[in-house]
Amino acid sequence: MGEKVTIFDTTLRDGEQSPGASMNVEEKTRVARQLARLGVDVIEAGFAFSSPGDFESVRRISHEIDGPIVCSLARAREEDVNAAWEALRGSPRPRIHTFISTSEIHLKYQFRLTRDEALKRAVEMVRLARSYVDDVEFSAMDASRTELEYLYEVIEAAVDAGAATVNIPDTVGYALPHQFGELIKGIKTNVKNIGRAVISVHCHNDLGLAVANSLSAVINGARQVECTINGIGERAGNASLEEIVMILRTRKDSLGLDTAIVTEQIYPASRLVSTITGMMVQPNKAIVGDNAFAHESGIHQDGLLKEKTTYEIMRPESVGISRSKLVLGKHSGRHAFRARLEDMGYTLGTDDLDRAFERFKLLADRKKEVFDEDLEAIVQDEVLRLEVPDRFKLLALRVSSGTDVQPSAAVEMEVDGKGVKEDGSGDGPVDAAYKTIARITGTKSQLLRYSVNAITGGTDAQGEVTVRLQEDDHIVLGQGAHPDIIVASARAYINALNRLEYKKKEKKERVV
Ligand code: MN
């Protein structure tokens, strides 16, 4: 193995700042478990001071997840650092990550601080964090637009105050690879005590350069990269973990660097994050896109059949994509079913496994071939959504629609344990079902988005419906899967309504 680069995953903090990608505590914990399997070195679990949900995520993940260092973000303010410590307290490998802006633009217009004041506050907050934990990271926000001499000065002071990692963010995604590399080299040569700290980078993708900038930094001496699964994050996102990792792995010959990532867990992690956040991966995305290993040209296919390395620089198996997508059929047993789920990163308890297996059998009766995507949909629909307590349950649904009838729906639901029945009509069967469900539940939410997706090819495919609802400042995602798309639609809607209830409650029960 070459010299090691630390992988700092911020899917649960910066990634969660993607518009519409918010996750609840259970979902974050599930992602964290997969990140641990993936072998990331550090998990940034949230920003403890920012909300009760973030506080609880940091607390739970830092106490429950084995292996990685777990970190909370904190502005360079006492209340933030204290909240980070409260959430991390008693966990095995805590890190506090505190930050302050150093660029003239930010200091002057946003924070109204002088350089001296910002430097003083950085030092005080690193010291405060160090009084709680040994592992402190300091970030100079907007570093790539900071005047160099001042940046060196701040970094030196932060290292003197006890920061073991200093992070150089390209907060606004403005840097160019050669300049960003120079910046890192400059820090290595000009900051006297830099040998006592690890240089980290945190790049944004506004110009599509997040990965290139991170790589250039690493070539020039950075040894921690902050990144996210599928590259999600604020605006155009962060550097994508899978790309950074596979660049270092595939081109170790030239770069001489590597990570501790278990690359076979990359694809399961990617799928899990896109399923939970509803942010689909573009088909031509490097490493994890649907087409990343699909060869269409006849000349390429001919070469591949003769010798894989003619056109393949990585094996799909090495990132956890199985070459044969077909997995199970109606004769597959419970054992094979469980083994396949485990390969995909889902470990279920006996009851959950029973329910999911039951659903699988029903599906396998309707559909000859059951693919990984189908299994994922089943687990998501049957098991994981139950982590949010259900105030509303769908008991039965009948719709009628067609070319010469007024679309109508008859819905039977359970609301707070009581059965309710209603009939309604609409512009189409989904509209009729949704209007009826809205009447039964009395929801004030608005439907922002409705999308239906055939999970696999063929008319017998399961439909996967994703909806986004808004009520006041709460936005939630709901998902449902079923071979009948109207049923899938109703399930997705009700799932979102339950999440909305949960979110409203989560907000009320303030922990900090
Ligand atoms: Mn960021």
Side-chain angles (χ1 to χ4, degrees), residues 10 13-14 17 169-171 202-204 226 234-235 238:
T10 184
R13 202 277 301 165
D14 209 323
Q17 283 168 228
D170 181 28
T171 306
H202 176 111
C203 295
H204 276 274
E226 303 197 356
E234 192 81 48
R235 307 184 310 279
N238 289 70

Side-chain angles (χ1 to χ4, degrees), residues 128-191:
L128 178 63
R130 270 304 300 267
S131 72
Y132 299 134
V133 296
D134 289 336
D135 187 353
V136 173
E137 172 168 338
F138 170 75
S139 280
M141 180 153 81
D142 207 17
S144 52
R145 294 193 301 172
T146 299
E147 198 253 319
L148 278 181
E149 289 308 316
Y150 179 60
L151 182 63
Y152 297 156
E153 203 185 323
V154 176
I155 294 172
E156 189 181 330
V159 174
D160 263 341
T165 304
V166 284
N167 183 39
I168 310 301
D170 181 28
T171 306
V172 293
Y174 183 70
L176 295 172
H178 66 292
Q179 290 172 345
F180 199 61
E182 284 299 312
L183 175 66
I184 301 303
K185 196 189 268 174
I187 291 169
K188 272 200 91 90
T189 11
N190 295 300
V191 177

Side-chain angles (χ1 to χ4, degrees), residues 272-283:
L272 185 66
V273 169
S274 66
T275 314
I276 287 179
T277 60
M279 287 180 71
M280 294 302 150
V281 171
Q282 78 201 51

Side-chain angles (χ1 to χ4, degrees), residues 214-330:
S214 307
L215 187 65
S216 175
V218 161
I219 291 169
N220 284 284
R223 284 296 175 269
Q224 173 177 287
V225 176
E226 303 197 356
C227 45
T228 61
I229 302 291
N230 300 338
I232 65 172
E234 192 81 48
R235 307 184 310 279
N238 289 70
S240 125
L241 179 146
E242 57 278 9
E243 293 176 24
I244 297 281
V245 166
M246 291 313 289
I247 290 167
L248 296 181
R249 184 69 49 96
T250 309
R251 297 311 312 273
K252 198 154 62 175
D253 62 320
S254 162
L255 299 165
L257 298 166
D258 208 351
T259 67
I261 295 295
V262 181
T263 58
E264 289 77 9
Q265 293 293 337
I266 285 178
Y267 189 65
S270 165
R271 293 289 312 181
L272 185 66
V273 169
S274 66
T275 314
I276 287 179
T277 60
M279 287 180 71
M280 294 302 150
V281 171
Q282 78 201 51
N284 59 326
K285 164 86 172 63
I287 318 296
V288 293
D290 274 355
N291 297 346
F293 293 93
H295 301 268
E296 187 73 24
S297 136
I299 297 173
H300 291 199
Q301 288 177 348
D302 174 61
L304 277 172
L305 289 171
K306 292 174 177 147
E307 165 59 40
K308 294 268 189 271
T309 55
T310 49
Y311 290 93
E312 228 172 50
I313 61 163
M314 299 171 274
R315 289 179 312 117
E317 294 88 344
S318 69
V319 297
I321 297 174
S322 46
R323 232 175 251 275
S324 112
K325 288 198 112 188
L326 173 66
V327 279
L328 302 167
K330 68 190 279 187

Side-chain angles (χ1 to χ4, degrees), residues 323-478:
R323 232 175 251 275
S324 112
K325 288 198 112 188
L326 173 66
V327 279
L328 302 167
K330 68 190 279 187
H331 302 296
S332 306
R334 206 182 130 92
H335 184 73
F337 178 73
R338 188 175 66 190
R340 189 63 210 143
L341 286 184
E342 279 172 5
D343 281 350
M344 292 164 61
Y346 297 105
T347 310
L348 303 184
T350 314
D351 289 355
D352 288 343
L353 187 69
D354 286 347
R355 271 209 318 281
F357 186 62
E358 198 62 24
R359 238 337 246 289
F360 159 73
K361 280 298 199 191
L362 287 174
L363 182 68
D365 276 342
R366 293 172 92 138
K367 196 169 179 286
K368 268 207 306 284
E369 300 168 327
V370 178
F371 297 87
D372 283 1
E373 290 86 344
D374 289 314
L375 298 185
E376 224 158 42
I378 288 176
V379 173
Q380 184 69 25
D381 191 63
E382 192 64 36
V383 179
L384 303 180
R385 68 189 183 83
L386 294 179
E387 287 177 357
V388 175
D390 277 357
R391 214 188 134 201
F392 309 119
K393 275 188 196 136
L394 181 68
L395 300 178
L397 168 70
R398 274 172 304 278
V399 290
S400 88
S401 69
T403 52
D404 50 6
V405 289
Q406 157 83 24
S408 65
V411 180
E412 268 183 67
M413 286 182 65
E414 202 178 283
V415 178
D416 293 327
K418 272 194 223 114
V420 192
K421 263 190 212 180
E422 288 253 10
D423 297 324
S425 59
D427 289 336
V430 174
D431 188 48
Y434 275 33
K435 281 185 172 143
T436 312
I437 292 167
R439 243 197 349 270
I440 292 176
T441 57
T443 180
K444 292 188 195 69
S445 62
Q446 262 194 321
L447 186 65
L448 299 181
R449 201 184 80 185
Y450 167 88
S451 68
V452 67
N453 182 16
I455 295 178
T456 51
T459 50
D460 65 348
Q462 288 195 90
E464 183 178 50
V465 174
T466 305
V467 297
R468 207 180 283 286
L469 296 185
Q470 178 164 26
E471 185 177 328
D472 302 325
D473 57 343
H474 301 293
I475 295 181
V476 293
L477 193 78

